[in-house]
Amino acid sequence: MKNYSPKEIKNIVLIGAPGAGKTTLAEAMAYEGKVIDRRGSIENNNTLSDNTDIEHEYKRSIYATTLFTEFMGRKLNIIDCPGSDDFCGNLFSAFKVGDVGVMLVNAQTGWEVGNVIQGRYARILNKPLIAVVNQLDAEKASYENALETMKAKASVKPVIVQYPVNQGVGFDSFIDVLMMKMYRFTDENGTREELEIPESEMEKALELNRELVETAAEHDDALMELYFEKGTLTQDDIRSGLKIGVAKRKAMPVFCASGKKDIGTKRLMEFIINVAPGPTVAPAFPA
């Protein structure tokens, strides 16, 4: 592993309610960064985190576990936190060194009590959030319900970056309205195709892209002027605006994923590297 400067590092805290899939997503992130060559599973007791006997016995996170991955020439330090409020001290400790919270939302249950509690901690500690609607491959997955509960209960405004095309057991595709592409996954190891958005989805994608552009422009006067002048913004402009909005806790970008099938992992890490605050600019932990 090479030596990284502070500008090449992001410190991520994985949070969310119990059972949201934090450990499984962490495993996929390590796999995509080639830190491991095969993903473990909770069922087989061979994940990088949840690696103690008691965690194996109860099939849940009890301790915050630190791991890392390397991606796009950057290092991502990942802290996989327990979801239960019984172990909230782990989350407070993690946020002392974390730059951004990646909040997993179970697509089957939406923004539940655990998300509310951990979102409250993020607010108290002034930590930015990125939301990931996970387990979109589950039979009872509902992205729409997850989004509505976020809008109703989250303390930071959710803004859609991705939405699923075929949620449920056959989930393998989503539309990314920042990249304005459809990503389809051809296996359960993160292999993806980058496709044009189907005509049937174009109207919805364009509307969500417009909302994303407006959200980005809200946080920078120069971008707002540019948006009024040209009627749109480039992808780099959108990232610049979102970078400000995320850091100030004014926007919470929403992503799609199935950690179990390694769907959406790479795009999430790309966004974290390009947009999330790093250790040189992240909000300080309050004394």
Side-chain angles (χ1 to χ4, degrees):
M1 184 176 69
K2 76 170 191 177
N3 291 324
Y4 292 91
S5 70
K7 292 182 179 180
E8 297 174 315
I9 295 172
K10 297 292 173 74
N11 299 305
I12 308 160
V13 184
L14 291 182
I15 58 176
K22 299 178 290 296
T23 297
T24 303
L25 180 62
E27 198 77 5
M29 295 171 80
Y31 174 77
E32 289 296 349
K34 301 185 178 0
V35 173
I36 54 176
D37 57 15
R38 188 175 69 173
R39 287 176 291 143
S41 69
I42 302 294
E43 296 74 19
N44 292 328
N45 293 335
N46 60 351
T47 52
L48 291 173
S49 52
D50 285 13
N51 53 27
T52 65
D53 290 342
I54 192 170
E55 289 171 313
H56 290 168
E57 180 180 354
Y58 289 100
K59 305 295 184 187
R60 62 187 296 195
S61 298
I62 294 175
Y63 308 105
T65 305
T66 303
L67 56 152
F68 77 94
T69 193
E70 296 175 291
F71 197 71
M72 294 172 58
R74 300 291 189 271
K75 184 184 181 189
L76 303 181
N77 293 318
I78 304 164
I79 306 178
D80 177 18
C81 291
S84 173
D85 195 40
D86 294 337
F87 311 113
C88 63
N90 288 267
L91 176 59
F92 270 81
S93 298
F95 266 148
K96 287 184 178 181
V97 294
D99 306 324
V100 60
V102 175
M103 175 74 83
L104 269 69
V105 182
N106 190 330
Q108 301 170 91
T109 53
W111 191 275
E112 50 192 314
V113 173
N115 298 104
V116 172
I117 292 171
Q118 298 206 2
R120 184 185 306 139
Y121 296 154
R123 183 178 71 250
I124 292 170
L125 304 176
N126 193 32
K127 294 297 178 175
L129 292 176
I130 294 171
V132 180
V133 182
N134 192 34
Q135 301 183 26
L136 281 163
D137 56 317
E139 183 178 354
K140 296 182 179 180
S142 175
Y143 176 87
E144 294 76 18
N145 176 67
L147 185 63
E148 287 305 311
T149 55
M150 269 188 259
K151 290 178 179 178
K153 300 177 182 179
S155 60
V156 185
K157 174 186 174 183
V159 53
I160 295 173
V161 176
Q162 298 171 349
Y163 70 90
V165 173
N166 59 339
Q167 62 188 317
V169 175
F171 173 62
D172 67 355
S173 304
F174 59 77
I175 305 290
D176 190 306
V177 299
L178 170 56
M179 304 299 290
M180 285 304 285
K181 295 288 182 181
M182 183 172 85
Y183 292 91
R184 183 167 63 200
F185 293 77
T186 59
D187 59 25
E188 296 188 4
N189 292 309
T191 305
R192 68 186 188 185
E193 299 174 322
E194 185 177 298
L195 307 170
E196 297 302 317
I197 297 174
E199 185 177 347
S200 60
E201 295 290 335
M202 185 57 75
E203 182 178 355
K204 179 178 180 178
L206 286 172
E207 174 61 21
L208 291 173
N209 174 264
R210 182 188 62 79
E211 293 178 7
L212 185 65
V213 168
E214 290 180 353
T215 298
E218 287 175 1
H219 306 297
D220 185 279
D221 290 342
L223 288 178
M224 183 64 78
E225 291 180 11
L226 188 62
Y227 174 53
F228 285 147
E229 179 184 341
K230 296 186 175 181
T232 189
L233 295 175
T234 66
Q235 290 179 6
D236 285 342
D237 290 335
I238 295 171
R239 292 188 187 97
S240 295
L242 290 177
K243 187 177 293 187
I244 298 169
V246 169
K248 291 184 176 181
R249 286 181 44 85
K250 299 295 185 182
M252 180 174 66
V254 180
F255 285 79
C256 293
S258 165
K260 186 176 182 179
K261 293 185 176 180
D262 193 7
I263 294 176
T265 312
K266 285 192 286 284
R267 272 295 295 132
L268 173 63
M269 292 197 293
E270 289 165 3
F271 186 85
I272 290 171
I273 288 168
N274 290 324
V275 175
T280 60
V281 296
F285 183 80

